[in-house]
Amino acid sequence: MAERLVEASRQRRVKVMTAAAGSAGRVAVPLLLCTLLAPSRTYVLDDSDGLGREFDGVGAVSGGGPYFGASLHILKVEIGGDGQTTDGTEPSHMHYALDENYFRGYEWWLMKEAKKRNPNITLIGLPWSFPGWLGKGFNWPYVNLQLTAYYVVTWIVGAKHYHDLDIDYVGIWNERTCDTNYIKVLRKMLNDQGLQRVKIIASDNLWEPISASMLLDAELLKAIDVIGAHYPGTHSVRDAKLTAKKLWASEDFSTLNSDMGAGCWGRILNQNYINGYMTSTIAWNLVASYYEQLPYGRCGLMTAQEPWSGHYEVESPVWVSAHTTQFTQPGWYYLKTVGHLEKGGSYVALTDGLGNLTIIIETMSHKHSVCVRPFLPYFNVSRQFATFVLKGSFSDIQELQVWYTKLGKPSERFLFKQLDSLWLLDSKGSFTLELQEDELFTLTTLTTGHKGSYPAPPKSQPFPSTYEDDFNVDYPYFSEAPNFADQTGVFEYFTNMKDTGEHRFTLRQVLNQRPIMWAADASNTISIIGDYTWTNLTITCDVYIETPEMGGVFIAGRVNKGGIWIRSARGIFFWIFANGSYRVTGDLAGWIIYALGRVEVTAKKWYTLTLTIKGRLASGMLNDKFLWTDIPVNFPKNGWAAIGTHSFEFAQFDNFHVEATR
């Protein structure tokens, strides 16, 4: 039998890729039908007994275009709520009860850019934090269910009215307790506003208790369209399956975008369905576009963290995504005949029901596919031969396109490489592959796959050692100034309509109460900027306290923490207060006091602060006169520059300038 198949393969003139030298020749080996001579396990791909679940797509917190690169099907965005949500704050469209602005932040721009590249991309909105006024003094968004539902619905309506964006799904509260009565209220309000097409995902946390609650409450079961779990470890639970609802890994990955991260991503894209019937997997996050020393640095599918240079890196997880996304679309169906390979790894197959078939095979080893969470029990993957037999409506397929990725050593590494087609004219729909560790194969009837090319990115450059911003932007495209990363509070471009002088255009901290927190926001507002390696620096900034008596502002250097750790940030902080005092502290919270005293400062007046840090000494000036000098500062040794306020209060900043060395 094997000899006849080998002869048939010669007659069909199966092409075998060979490389000029080295281990690149290994790429072609799996396509040799003569490997049928080796012992192999047979896997049948058949639709005769019907199909599996409907595929809903692969996504992340950003989007891509079809048939190129990551080609993501889903873009999930944060409904900004003014609070810290891992690496910074995102502004709300309603800072205050009577305030509405649908041009704050970058999410609107991001959704429109995604739609330009893929008009069919699915859009999801999910709150992490909420503006404080919804809590009426409590850190809880469910004090008034109608009011919170109204807040979310206005965001959906605003997306359409101001940006012509149709939101497809909306979530409840990211990774926090969900109120089942709120879900029902939200569903009714959406319906009342003619938004029946907007579907609800719950609860973007664990599978339980939401699954059990749905089984016990018919109205809740009807209100929820998708059960979304975060970091499920490729497994779902019995109750979730019993609901007969779509199951999604609505947040997953969040792993360093090395080949280890690529292996994690490749493994869970297959096994989330095989083990847990999850029909969509959404990565946090697509583009790591935040300072690398913030939490989860470089944990995007690609990296673009230098807006000042334009440098970016297309990382290996992007090409792992392409193995699935370029050859499937939402609305395709998984075959029932999917599963694990005998010697480790897995395979899935999907069809559009029109004769097209895509098969994705992964053999990611344990040591090269550990995600940041949850714990991954040990498993073994070893070299194997796998024979696949196409049956049912696929038995007449004559040709499969082949795409290949090999992770690991640079000398053996290939990313999304197209191999010669596999012809099945006389093989009765069967073929055999040799599979080794840390490989991905896509075999598909689609001919639209495309790795493409892109210009070489600009060279990586450190943050400029001399940087200044006078915020003189009359009609800013974005509400926030470039390179500043708000860590608590929201700092926005502001126009002083009554000031026709130097401070007509400023940067203003605009929150006057603590938001409903998702993370541990600081008690003070703060926005960081610069290079984390900065050691010696001079920061100058004009400041304007708006709150009499209780108000206060600061500038700072060597700030060593941000994101979800912002409350414990250390650094050198130079404060002035409207009550006529100043303070120098070694931390944002103000527990470590280096110096304090009285000074002629009041609210509603501009002052210039200067902070100089050199070696182990720091000095500060007010209006170009030294206020304190040569204070010993032994820790931290380096960090960002920053501006901020004493509490959630209005304050303005202008003419920011920094001179720094590493």
Side-chain angles (χ1 to χ4, degrees):
M1 176 64 178
E3 291 177 351
R4 290 200 302 272
L5 285 173
V6 171
E7 180 60 27
S9 72
R10 293 193 188 99
Q11 293 174 357
R12 293 193 303 272
R13 288 183 262 180
V14 174
K15 296 180 180 180
V16 178
M17 285 194 67
T18 55
S23 61
R26 163 72 190 86
V27 173
V29 175
L31 303 187
L32 287 169
L33 294 186
C34 62
T35 55
L36 287 171
L37 293 168
S40 67
R41 172 73 181 271
T42 299
Y43 306 91
V44 176
L45 302 175
D46 190 358
D47 61 352
S48 300
D49 190 33
L51 299 172
R53 294 195 173 210
E54 183 180 1
F55 175 65
D56 295 307
V58 175
V61 296
S62 184
Y67 313 127
F68 179 80
S71 298
L72 296 186
H73 308 124
I74 298 170
L75 170 61
K76 182 177 182 177
V77 303
E78 178 179 341
I79 300 176
D82 293 335
Q84 170 62 244
T85 57
T86 300
D87 291 299
T89 68
E90 288 203 32
S92 170
H93 64 289
M94 296 180 71
H95 292 319
Y96 331 109
L98 300 179
D99 165 59
E100 289 187 53
N101 184 323
Y102 297 92
F103 296 91
R104 294 185 181 123
Y106 62 87
E107 300 289 13
W108 311 108
W109 169 85
L110 191 61
M111 288 188 281
K112 288 188 287 188
E113 290 297 312
K115 282 287 187 180
K116 287 179 185 177
R117 290 155 176 78
N118 179 3
N120 297 319
I121 198 164
T122 297
L123 298 178
I124 304 173
L126 173 66
W128 266 249
S129 64
F130 295 85
W133 59 272
L134 285 171
K136 298 186 181 299
F138 296 92
N139 192 50
W140 189 245
Y142 307 130
V143 173
N144 184 322
L145 304 184
Q146 294 282 345
L147 193 61
T148 299
Y150 168 79
Y151 167 79
V152 171
V153 170
T154 60
W155 184 86
I156 296 170
V157 172
K160 180 64 176 178
H161 181 76
Y162 293 98
H163 303 284
D164 197 25
L165 293 167
D166 291 306
I167 304 301
D168 299 290
Y169 293 86
V170 65
I172 307 304
W173 189 12
N174 183 64
E175 295 176 352
R176 296 295 180 263
T177 301
C178 73
D179 184 305
T180 56
N181 289 323
Y182 166 72
I183 296 173
K184 298 173 194 176
V185 169
L186 177 61
R187 178 70 272 165
K188 184 179 186 303
M189 190 171 294
L190 287 168
N191 293 347
D192 290 345
Q193 293 296 316
L195 297 169
Q196 292 87 349
R197 64 175 297 278
V198 179
K199 298 176 181 178
I200 290 178
I201 305 173
S203 63
D204 282 293
N205 198 350
L206 304 175
W207 294 114
E208 299 289 11
I210 190 65
S211 298
S213 298
M214 292 169 67
L215 293 174
L216 296 171
D217 186 333
E219 184 182 356
L220 182 66
L221 182 68
K222 185 179 179 181
I224 296 172
D225 299 277
V226 175
I227 304 178
H230 287 194
Y231 307 95
T234 76
H235 293 278
S236 54
V237 299
R238 179 175 176 273
D239 282 352
K241 296 170 189 173
L242 287 175
T243 65
K245 295 290 185 175
K246 292 178 178 291
L247 309 180
W248 288 7
S250 53
E251 184 176 310
D252 218 331
F253 183 64
S254 68
T255 300
L256 185 69
N257 55 27
S258 61
D259 275 10
M260 173 75 83
C264 154
W265 188 231
R267 176 175 57 79
I268 65 178
L269 282 178
N270 266 19
Q271 296 192 26
N272 274 349
Y273 182 75
I274 294 166
N275 299 338
Y277 295 105
M278 285 165 268
T279 55
S280 177
T281 298
I282 299 174
W284 188 95
N285 55 69
L286 176 60
V287 184
S289 292
Y290 43 90
Y291 290 119
E292 186 171 342
Q293 295 80 11
L294 288 169
Y296 300 98
R298 300 186 75 98
C299 286
L301 300 184
M302 64 176 288
T303 303
Q305 59 188 19
E306 296 182 12
W308 52 89
S309 72
H311 178 74
Y312 63 92
E313 297 175 46
V314 181
E315 311 284 6
S316 51
V318 167
W319 302 116
V320 168
S321 303
H323 274 274
T324 297
T325 56
Q326 286 204 21
F327 310 106
T328 59
Q329 286 296 321
W332 283 42
Y333 280 82
Y334 284 97
L335 271 59
K336 291 181 178 179
T337 49
V338 301
H340 294 274
L341 299 169
E342 182 180 28
K343 295 185 177 180
S346 66
Y347 65 97
V348 295
L350 301 96
T351 181
D352 62 355
L354 302 174
N356 284 308
L357 176 69
T358 291
I359 307 161
I360 304 118
I361 303 162
E362 61 83 20
T363 57
M364 298 302 154
S365 64
H366 184 277
K367 66 179 179 180
H368 292 144
S369 70
V370 176
C371 303
V372 71
R373 50 185 162 168
F375 171 77
L376 181 64
Y378 181 76
F379 60 87
N380 186 61
V381 177
S382 58
R383 178 175 175 264
Q384 58 193 302
F385 293 92
T387 297
F388 293 87
V389 180
L390 308 185
K391 291 190 174 182
S393 68
F394 311 120
S395 59
D396 294 331
I397 290 175
Q398 299 181 6
E399 180 185 8
L400 290 171
Q401 308 293 313
V402 183
W403 293 81
Y404 175 73
T405 286
K406 169 70 173 179
L407 302 174
K409 298 178 183 178
S411 60
E412 302 173 354
R413 190 170 181 258
F414 292 89
L415 294 175
F416 198 58
K417 184 177 183 64
Q418 185 172 18
L419 307 186
D420 285 347
S421 299
L422 182 61
W423 290 87
L424 308 173
L425 295 175
D426 304 318
S427 67
K428 297 183 179 179
S430 70
F431 59 92
T432 295
L433 303 181
E434 180 193 2
L435 304 172
Q436 296 194 19
E437 288 185 359
D438 302 321
E439 293 183 329
L440 265 171
F441 280 94
T442 296
L443 301 100
T444 181
T445 55
L446 297 183
T447 59
T448 51
H450 184 56
K451 186 169 186 179
S453 61
Y454 51 89
K459 183 180 178 182
S460 176
Q461 299 284 347
F463 194 95
S465 57
T466 299
Y467 183 84
E468 60 186 1
D469 194 337
D470 59 12
F471 312 114
N472 288 352
V473 183
D474 200 351
Y475 298 100
Y477 192 79
F478 292 103
S479 60
E480 297 161 291
N483 302 314
F484 282 90
D486 301 350
Q487 300 302 304
T488 298
V490 175
F491 295 74
E492 296 180 348
Y493 284 116
F494 181 68
T495 301
N496 288 309
M497 301 305 295
K498 296 181 180 180
D499 188 334
T500 59
E502 181 184 4
H503 301 297
R504 179 171 174 78
F505 300 107
T506 66
L507 191 69
R508 190 189 195 209
Q509 200 295 119
V510 297
L511 300 190
N512 61 358
Q513 66 180 122
R514 178 186 291 276
I516 297 171
M517 297 185 297
W518 179 82
D521 294 58
S523 298
N524 330 87
T525 74
I526 178 173
S527 187
I528 61 172
I529 189 170
D531 191 323
Y532 190 78
T533 65
W534 280 349
T535 297
N536 299 324
L537 67 164
T538 296
I539 306 161
T540 300
C541 188
D542 296 342
V543 298
Y544 184 87
I545 303 169
E546 296 190 36
T547 305
E549 298 300 325
M550 302 297 293
V553 297
F554 69 82
I555 61 174
R558 294 187 186 175
V559 178
N560 72 343
K561 290 183 182 178
I564 53 177
W565 305 316
I566 189 61
R567 288 182 70 90
S568 59
R570 297 284 302 274
I572 297 92
F573 295 81
F574 177 18
W575 311 73
I576 59 171
F577 299 93
N579 65 3
S581 65
Y582 77 90
R583 187 171 298 178
V584 184
T585 67
D587 62 336
L588 177 61
W591 293 103
I592 304 169
I593 300 175
Y594 292 140
L596 52 79
R598 302 298 300 173
V599 66
E600 291 186 10
V601 168
T602 186
K604 309 290 186 179
K605 185 177 179 180
W606 282 98
Y607 299 92
T608 300
L609 296 182
T610 302
L611 171 64
T612 299
I613 309 169
K614 187 172 183 180
R616 296 186 177 183
L617 298 175
S619 302
M621 292 194 294
L622 176 67
N623 292 342
D624 297 324
K625 295 182 179 180
F626 279 106
L627 189 60
W628 49 276
T629 59
D630 295 337
I631 289 178
V633 289
N634 296 318
F635 182 84
K637 303 295 185 184
N638 55 273
W640 297 291
I643 58 175
T645 65
H646 177 59
S647 63
F648 288 91
E649 61 184 275
F650 299 130
Q652 296 178 53
F653 302 83
D654 201 1
N655 298 319
F656 177 85
H657 182 95
V658 61
E659 295 273 355
T661 59
R662 292 167 184 82

